[in-house]
């Protein structure tokens, strides 16, 4: 059983309130009709939760290696799966059978036996389970499905079956498609990141494929043997990036134009590659043993145990002789493998030459490239160019004649242009003179207003003017008038 602390650490649980968890742990199957939005949200929450738990290896099958649990398969062994999710305060999830049935219907999960044995891609519409036929078939077939207890009359996946009966219907092992897609993408990226692949680099057997990709398909996870079988099946059938035959695994270009088969050359190259890998392992092991013997000799010498030191020295010499022999065999195999790869590459190059030659001959055989057709086309082009030149000459001649008919005297044009210039200059001068007069008039008006304003200001300490004597204001006014 998964602990409460483990569940609480999952993002789905951490972001859900207690009331939300109670809803998720209830039997919400009826919401599919009454509240489809909430129903879909609940199913999606459980999908993400189940996949997170499987990735962490918390639902390891009792029959599998607990040290390396399955990461691509959900083992639903019945109601015990609900017990694994028992949570304090909300109990165990009652809607989990509905979730599994819905995820299978929506092609997010696939039955393990069907996935491994089906010849159809998981993306083929023909894979749809019969229990979702309500969306695509008519009433007669729907009635037949109800008679077989595949669907129920209330249009839900599991109908009114009891809790235990629901678990009986969904019990099994399921491949998690979204996790599988992620693992496959990582494997493909790792393979193509090797750059220009040689024939040997594209060939694996089951063991070398596991060594190369099991620990790199998913982050911080090592895939199990079952996971690797599922991954191989998906890469071959659904992604079409490799082919398998007789224990040989060969990566090919994605979606090849023609079916690719494993040839005798592929099998031979893989055998050579496997032999090289095994010899390399032996060489590494011998070198390690030689190092151990050297340490033992040094220890015996410090202890002044001559016989033991000589024994280790004798074994070290034997190991060095064996290492020399293995290195010679390794060099021979590596050279042979390199020559085989070079020859295989030459074959591919020659095929490309043949294909290019065939294509070039097909193009040259086109009727438009025949000698007679080329001569005919060039003559027609010459004739068309000559006709175009005649037309251009005729147009130019007509233009000259038309200009001659107008008979415009250039001297008269020059005189008229001078008159226009003089008029423009005269208009400019008149405009400048008018602007200057307006400016002077404006300045005089402003000056008069300032004088009038100054005359109206009488100092307060001056005596009042004598009757009959003109005042300062009147004198100022008289001056302004003058």
């Amino acid at each position: 059983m998964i602990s409460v602390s483990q569940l609480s650490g999952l993002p789905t649980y951490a972001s859900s309130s207690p009331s939300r968890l109670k809803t998720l742990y209830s039997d919400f199957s009826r919401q599919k009709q009454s509240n489809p939005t909430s129903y879909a949200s609940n199913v999606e929450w459980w999908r993400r939760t189940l996949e997170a738990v499987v990735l962490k290896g918390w639902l390891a099958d009792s029959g599998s290696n607990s040290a390396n649990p399955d990461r691509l398969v959900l083992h639903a062994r019945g109601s015990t799966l609900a017990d694994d999710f028992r949570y304090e305060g909300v109990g165990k999830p009652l809607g989990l059978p509905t979730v599994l049935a819905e995820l299978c219907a929506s092609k997010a999960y696939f039955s393990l036996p069907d996935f491994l044995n089906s010849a159809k891609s998981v993306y083929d519409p023909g894979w749809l389970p019969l229990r979702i036929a309500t969306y695509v078939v008519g009433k007669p077939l729907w009635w037949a499905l109800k008679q077989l207890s595949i669907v129920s009359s209330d249009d839900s996946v599991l109908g009114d079956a009891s809790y235990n009966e629901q678990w009986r219907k969904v019990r099994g092992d399921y491949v998690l498609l979204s996790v599988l897609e992620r693992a496959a993408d990582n494997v493909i990226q790792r393979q193509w990141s090797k750059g220009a692949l040689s024939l040997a680099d594209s060939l694996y057997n089951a063991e070398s494929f596991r060594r190369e990709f099991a620990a790199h398909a998913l982050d911080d996870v090592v895939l199990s043997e079952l996971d690797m079988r599922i991954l191989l099946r998906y890469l071959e059938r659904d992604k079409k990036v490799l082919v398998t035959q007789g224990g040989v695994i060969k990566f090919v270009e994605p979606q090849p134009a023609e079916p690719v088969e494993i040839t005798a050359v592929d099998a031979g190259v893989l055998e050579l590659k496997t032999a090289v890998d095994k010899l390399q392992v032996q060489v590494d092991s011998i070198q390690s043993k030689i190092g151990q013997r050297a340490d033992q000799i040094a220890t015996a010498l410090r202890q002044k145990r001559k016989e033991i030191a000589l024994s280790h020295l004798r074994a070290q010499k034997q190991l060095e002789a064996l290492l020399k022999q293995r290195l010679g065999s390794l060099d021979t195999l590596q050279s042979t493998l390199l020559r085989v790869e070079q020859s295989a590459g030459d074959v591919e190059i020659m095929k490309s030459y043949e294909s290019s030659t065939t294509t070039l001959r097909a193009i040259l055989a086109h009727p438009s490239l025949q000698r007679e057709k080329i001569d005919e086309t060039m003559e027609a082009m010459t004739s068309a160019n000559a006709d175009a030149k005649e037309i251009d000459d005729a147009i130019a001649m007509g233009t000259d004649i038309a200009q001659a008919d107008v008979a415009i005297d250039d001297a008269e044009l020059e005189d008229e242009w001078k008159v226009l210039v003089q008029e423009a200059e005269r208009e400019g001068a008149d405009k400048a003179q008018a602007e200057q007069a307006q400016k002077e008039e404006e300045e005089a008006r402003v000056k008069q207003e300032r004088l009038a304003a100054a005359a109206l200001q009488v100092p307060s300490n001056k005596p009042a003017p004598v009757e009959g004597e003109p005042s300062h204001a009147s004198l100022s006014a008289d001056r302004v008038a003058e």
Side-chain angles (χ1 to χ4, degrees):
M1 181 182 296
I2 307 172
S3 66
V4 174
S5 60
Q6 288 177 317
L7 291 176
S8 300
L10 295 176
T12 50
Y13 280 81
S15 60
S16 300
S17 63
S19 60
R20 171 65 173 151
L21 286 176
K22 289 181 179 179
T23 301
L24 291 163
Y25 270 63
S26 66
D27 183 6
F28 52 83
S29 58
R30 300 295 178 182
Q31 289 185 345
K32 185 171 184 179
Q33 303 301 323
S34 61
N35 191 353
T37 301
S38 177
Y39 176 84
S41 176
N42 293 344
V43 171
E44 175 61 18
W45 187 93
W46 274 109
R47 182 192 69 80
R48 291 187 286 116
T49 299
L50 290 171
E51 292 178 1
V53 169
V54 171
L55 272 175
K56 291 182 178 295
W58 294 346
L59 293 177
D61 183 23
S62 58
S64 63
N65 182 7
S66 58
N68 189 21
D70 301 325
R71 312 290 182 151
L72 303 179
V73 181
L74 168 65
H75 299 285
R77 297 308 189 193
S79 59
T80 55
L81 179 63
D83 294 333
D84 289 332
F85 286 91
R86 187 178 293 276
Y87 198 78
E88 184 178 356
V90 292
K92 65 180 181 180
L94 301 178
L96 207 49
T98 299
V99 171
L100 294 176
E102 187 65 35
L103 291 174
C104 289
S106 62
K107 299 204 304 181
Y109 288 4
F110 292 88
S111 169
L112 177 60
D114 292 342
F115 181 90
L116 292 176
N117 299 325
S118 177
K120 290 184 178 180
S121 169
V122 296
Y123 305 111
D124 192 319
W127 189 292
L128 288 172
L130 292 177
R131 57 175 168 264
I132 65 167
T134 179
Y135 301 106
V136 293
V137 300
K139 291 183 178 180
L141 179 56
W142 186 247
W143 178 86
L145 296 177
K146 287 192 293 183
Q147 305 309 308
L148 295 173
S149 299
I150 296 175
V151 296
S152 60
S153 58
D154 66 351
D155 205 29
S156 66
V157 176
L158 295 176
D160 295 323
S162 65
Y163 183 72
N164 291 332
E165 181 65 17
Q166 290 178 0
W167 274 114
R168 188 187 67 80
K169 290 184 178 182
V170 300
R171 186 176 185 273
D173 301 321
Y174 298 99
V175 177
L176 313 183
L177 182 59
S178 62
V179 183
L180 175 58
E181 289 174 334
R182 195 189 321 162
D185 290 341
N186 291 336
V187 167
I188 295 172
Q189 182 179 2
R190 180 175 176 82
Q191 177 65 14
W192 299 144
S193 65
K194 296 178 180 179
L197 298 178
S198 64
L199 179 59
D201 290 335
S202 63
L203 294 171
Y204 299 89
N205 56 23
E207 178 61 24
S208 61
F209 186 85
R210 184 191 63 78
R211 288 199 310 268
E212 179 68 23
F213 299 110
H216 299 91
L218 295 170
D219 295 337
D220 303 322
V221 164
V222 178
L223 299 186
S224 66
E225 294 293 336
L226 178 58
D227 292 335
M228 296 306 294
R229 286 176 55 202
I230 294 170
L231 182 60
L232 271 174
R233 187 70 178 127
Y234 178 76
L235 290 172
E236 180 179 15
R237 180 191 60 206
D238 305 295
K239 301 297 286 186
K240 301 187 186 310
V241 296
L242 57 78
V243 291
T244 60
Q245 181 180 329
V248 179
I249 302 169
K250 181 180 181 180
F251 275 91
V252 297
E253 292 295 329
Q255 305 293 335
E258 298 180 358
V260 180
E261 296 181 353
I262 303 296
T263 64
V265 174
D266 296 330
V269 171
L270 178 59
E271 186 175 351
L272 274 173
K273 178 184 177 182
T274 303
V276 168
D277 292 340
K278 289 181 178 179
L279 265 179
Q280 186 63 58
V281 172
Q282 292 182 26
V283 167
D284 295 340
S285 176
I286 294 171
Q287 288 177 333
S288 176
K289 290 179 180 179
I290 291 174
Q292 292 175 3
R293 291 292 181 178
D295 294 338
Q296 291 170 348
I297 292 171
T299 302
L301 289 175
R302 285 195 301 269
Q303 296 174 353
K304 297 181 179 180
R305 304 174 70 176
K306 179 180 178 181
E307 295 299 330
I308 295 177
L310 289 175
S311 176
H312 289 316
L313 181 59
R314 188 178 301 109
Q316 183 183 28
K317 293 297 182 182
Q318 293 173 350
L319 288 171
E320 289 175 349
L322 179 59
L323 177 61
K324 182 178 180 180
Q325 180 185 356
R326 291 292 184 264
L327 286 174
S329 300
L330 181 60
D331 290 339
T332 301
L333 283 177
Q334 288 177 333
S335 299
T336 304
L337 178 60
L338 183 60
R339 287 195 296 269
V340 170
E341 287 186 312
Q342 180 181 355
S343 299
D346 292 340
V347 171
E348 294 299 324
I349 292 173
M350 292 307 299
K351 287 182 179 179
S352 300
Y353 286 168
E354 291 176 1
S355 176
S356 301
T357 302
T358 303
T359 303
L360 181 58
R361 289 190 180 280
I363 294 174
L364 294 177
H366 194 276
S368 297
L369 297 180
Q370 301 306 307
R371 182 67 184 183
E372 296 79 5
K373 185 65 176 178
I374 294 174
D375 293 340
E376 179 183 346
T377 301
M378 298 308 295
E379 290 177 359
M381 183 180 295
T382 302
S383 177
N385 288 333
D387 293 341
K389 188 175 184 308
E390 291 180 1
I391 293 172
D392 291 341
D393 293 342
I395 292 174
M397 185 180 298
T399 303
D400 293 341
I401 295 174
Q403 290 178 350
D405 291 341
V406 174
I408 298 175
D409 190 353
D410 293 340
E412 292 180 359
L413 286 176
E414 183 72 18
D415 294 339
E416 186 173 351
W417 177 77
K418 291 180 179 180
V419 171
L420 292 175
V421 170
Q422 292 175 357
E423 291 179 353
E425 292 177 349
R426 186 166 52 255
E427 289 178 358
D430 293 344
K431 183 177 180 181
Q433 185 176 2
E435 290 177 352
Q436 182 64 26
Q438 184 178 1
K439 182 177 180 181
E440 293 176 354
E441 181 180 352
E442 180 66 19
E443 291 177 351
R445 184 182 64 78
V446 171
K447 182 177 181 181
Q448 185 176 1
E449 289 177 353
R450 289 177 177 175
L451 292 175
L456 292 176
Q457 296 178 358
V458 180
S460 58
N461 56 355
K462 295 289 184 179
V466 180
E467 185 178 355
E469 185 179 343
S471 64
H472 291 285
S474 61
L475 290 177
S476 298
D478 292 342
R479 291 193 188 97
V480 171
E482 290 176 357

